[in-house]
């Protein structure tokens, strides 16, 4: 399966992507995680991305599209993938369509995670991420680690993302409304969008998403 997850910052895309990718047996490709990995390794791409991410702006398409395509070219993505945070504007959506067309492939669905804005702000304020692996995501209230400040999965230190400050979150929400929301209509025109109410417990949202994709956990290799 080839799936895109869309939704405002803090909607739970990364949290859901981790479970869905595991259930579906496909890699979770997060452009935000790819940028953060480059930043922590101090690569030129990471240095370039840092200034935009710290300001809550989109990293330019000239950098992002090539990075996403390189990741989709990896052997583990041959049977499908779950994109989280890409595409994020109309230019990227068109680039994804072009890429898939060149490969003779297509998307199966675009899951739009719907969460009210005041909930998104609460989710981001309490979010803590693992230093070893930014796909290990917790929340101080909703999804606590067993030991405060320590990742359950690998023992790594938990920290708050620099772009989760209140001011930057406001900017990221603005950018979401102006740049990213239009891709929902873009994909609606292709009849690909499924809206998922994303309030409630994490496993409940995962079940809704799996049901919307018409797969059960036993269909793990439905990719
Ligand atoms: P990115 O890393 O993609 O961030 P984002 O889209 O802003 O989304 P978040 O990671 O903030 O939230 P999420 O929806 O994944 O929520 P999460 O699962 O963590 O992008 C960061 C930056 O990178 C961008 O601003 C941009 O600069 C750059 N970038 C990335 N991709 C780009 C692109 N394609 N083009 C250009 N620039 C790009 O959940 C949030 C919290 O809520 C967690 O604490 C979690 O535990 C909790 N939670 C989750 N689900 C639930 C639930 N059901 N109930 C209660 N709590 C929950």
């Amino acid at each position: 399966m080839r799936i895109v997850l869309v939704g405002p910052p803090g909607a739970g895309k990364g949290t859901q992507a981790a479970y869905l990718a595991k259930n579906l047996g496909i890699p979770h490709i997060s452009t935000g995680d790819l940028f953060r990995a480059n930043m922590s390794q101090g690569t030129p791409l990471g240095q370039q991305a840092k200034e935009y991410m710290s300001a809550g702006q989109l990293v330019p398409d000239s950098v992002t599209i090539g990075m996403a395509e390189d990741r989709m070219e990896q052997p583990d993505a041959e049977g499908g993938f779950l994109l989280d945070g890409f595409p994020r504007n109309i230019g990227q959506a068109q680039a994804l369509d072009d890429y898939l067309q060149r490969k003779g492939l297509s998307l199966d669905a675009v899951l739009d995670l719907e969460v009210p804005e005041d909930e998104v702000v609460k989710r981001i304020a309490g979010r803590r991420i693992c230093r070893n692996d930014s796909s290990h995501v917790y929340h101080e209230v909703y999804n606590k680690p067993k030991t405060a400040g320590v990742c359950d999965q690998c023992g790594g230190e938990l920290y708050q993302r620099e772009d989760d400050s209140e001011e930057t979150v406001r900017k990221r929400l603005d950018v979401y409304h102006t740049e990213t929301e239009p891709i929902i209509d873009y994909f609606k025109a292709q009849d690909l969008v499924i809206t998922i109410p994303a309030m409630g417990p994490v496993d409940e949202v995962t079940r809704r998403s799996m049901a919307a994709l018409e797969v059960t956990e036993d269909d793990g290799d439905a990719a």
Side-chain angles (χ1 to χ4, degrees):
M1 278 191 144
R2 289 175 187 80
I3 301 165
V4 169
L5 267 187
V6 69
K13 300 183 295 297
T15 301
Q16 288 305 321
Y19 292 104
L20 291 172
K22 187 165 171 260
N23 287 343
L24 296 168
I26 51 178
H28 166 201
I29 300 180
S30 156
T31 40
D33 285 350
L34 291 172
F35 286 134
R36 280 185 287 279
N38 274 278
M39 276 161 56
S40 65
Q41 289 156 16
T43 68
L45 191 150
Q47 282 159 14
Q48 205 180 346
K50 188 176 186 342
E51 67 178 284
Y52 295 96
M53 292 175 77
S54 309
Q57 306 274 8
L58 296 188
V59 180
D61 290 355
S62 55
V63 175
T64 307
I65 291 169
M67 181 185 74
E69 290 190 359
D70 284 349
R71 179 63 188 87
M72 290 186 283
E73 285 291 304
Q74 298 303 307
D76 67 337
E78 259 176 35
F81 46 71
L82 179 59
L83 295 175
D84 158 15
F86 180 87
R88 224 175 176 98
N89 60 25
I90 293 286
Q92 292 180 14
Q94 288 167 336
L96 175 62
D97 273 347
D98 289 348
Y99 170 82
L100 291 171
Q101 205 172 8
R102 285 199 306 273
K103 300 274 165 190
L105 302 170
S106 58
L107 288 176
D108 293 285
V110 174
L111 299 186
D112 173 20
L113 298 188
E114 204 174 56
V115 182
E117 201 142 310
D118 56 347
E119 172 69 11
V120 153
V121 172
K122 280 189 218 156
R123 288 186 183 183
I124 290 182
R127 172 166 51 193
R128 298 295 180 269
I129 311 278
C130 176
R131 280 219 190 272
N132 293 342
D133 185 335
S134 59
S135 71
H136 300 167
V137 180
Y138 300 86
H139 191 281
E140 281 199 314
V141 178
Y142 303 137
N143 181 19
K144 287 185 186 178
K146 292 191 183 87
T147 306
V150 180
C151 178
D152 291 348
Q153 295 173 71
C154 69
E157 181 200 357
L158 301 183
Y159 75 104
Q160 185 163 30
R161 265 167 51 178
E162 189 192 333
D163 63 344
D164 280 352
S165 70
E166 198 185 324
E167 190 191 347
T168 310
V169 169
R170 263 203 299 272
K171 180 68 199 165
R172 284 163 58 203
L173 281 165
D174 284 349
V175 169
Y176 176 75
H177 292 311
T178 55
E179 306 231 17
T180 307
E181 264 179 353
I183 73 169
I184 297 172
D185 281 340
Y186 176 90
F187 286 120
K188 271 185 182 162
Q190 300 179 30
D191 206 16
L192 285 170
V193 176
I194 306 172
T195 302
I196 307 291
M199 291 293 284
V202 169
D203 57 350
E204 182 57 38
V205 180
T206 308
R207 269 195 294 276
R208 280 178 212 144
S209 304
M210 293 291 281
L213 294 170
E214 295 178 347
V215 285
T216 65
E217 291 189 25
D218 296 336
D219 297 331
D221 56 357

